[in-house]
Amino acid sequence: MGCGHCCYVSVPITDFEARYIGEKLNITPAPIKHSIRRSLNEFSSKTPCHFLKDGSCSIYEFRPLNCRIHMNFDIDNYWCLHENWNHPEGAIPKPTITALTTAYHQLGEGLKPIVADIRDFFPNGKAL
C-alpha cells in the first residue's frame, strides 16, 4: 500500500494471466489476437495500471507475476521513484528469482501465450 511506482510503467501479462484475473473479477478480458510489445516507459504518471486505486492494487490477491516480482526491501521508496532509476550509485536490493521466472517461461512455451500490457487486456480496469 502506498508504493505503486511500478504501476506506472508497462505491466506485461499473458493471456492466461488475463483470463485468471478476469475469472476472479467476473469480467472478460479484451480479446487480443497478437502480442503487443511496449516500452517499459511507454506509460507515465498519467497512465497508471487501471487496477491501482487510491495508491493500492485493487487486484493484489490476483496480481500477475510481473507485479509479484517487483518488491522493495529498502528502508524507503527512494529507488522505486522513476527519477532515481538511472542514478549511477543505485544499488537496488532485490531477490534473485531466476528459477521462478525460468520455470514460468518454460511453462508458457508450450502454450504460445499472447503477451500485452494489462491495460490492453483490461481497458479502464474493465473488459471491453
Side-chain angles (χ1 to χ4, degrees):
M1 179 170 204
C3 185
H5 302 289
C6 54
C7 303
Y8 288 87
V9 298
S10 180
V11 182
I13 66 171
T14 60
D15 53 340
F16 49 88
E17 286 178 300
R19 285 193 304 272
Y20 171 75
I21 293 167
E23 286 173 13
K24 295 299 182 181
L25 300 177
N26 200 28
I27 58 177
T28 303
I32 297 179
K33 304 281 185 207
H34 304 284
S35 291
I36 302 170
R37 291 197 174 273
R38 297 187 180 272
S39 162
L40 177 67
N41 295 318
E42 182 171 335
F43 299 101
S44 69
S45 61
K46 296 181 176 95
T47 53
C49 172
H50 299 304
F51 294 110
L52 183 66
K53 307 287 184 205
D54 299 320
S56 293
C57 178
S58 64
I59 61 166
Y60 189 81
E61 184 178 346
F62 316 117
R63 70 195 184 282
L65 179 64
N66 250 338
C67 299
R68 292 175 186 274
I69 65 174
H70 286 85
M71 57 195 84
N72 180 13
F73 291 110
D74 211 343
I75 59 172
D76 60 24
N77 70 346
Y78 179 84
W79 292 114
C80 296
L81 301 173
H82 299 162
E83 60 268 21
N84 299 328
W85 285 4
N86 296 318
H87 286 200
E89 73 278 6
I92 303 169
K94 57 185 173 182
T96 302
I97 56 169
T98 305
L100 173 63
T101 54
T102 300
Y104 179 79
H105 291 293
Q106 286 175 341
L107 286 171
E109 282 177 8
L111 300 174
K112 305 248 187 276
I114 293 172
V115 178
D117 190 82
I118 196 167
R119 297 163 189 84
D120 296 319
F121 285 108
F122 300 101
N124 300 315
K126 302 174 188 163
L128 284 177

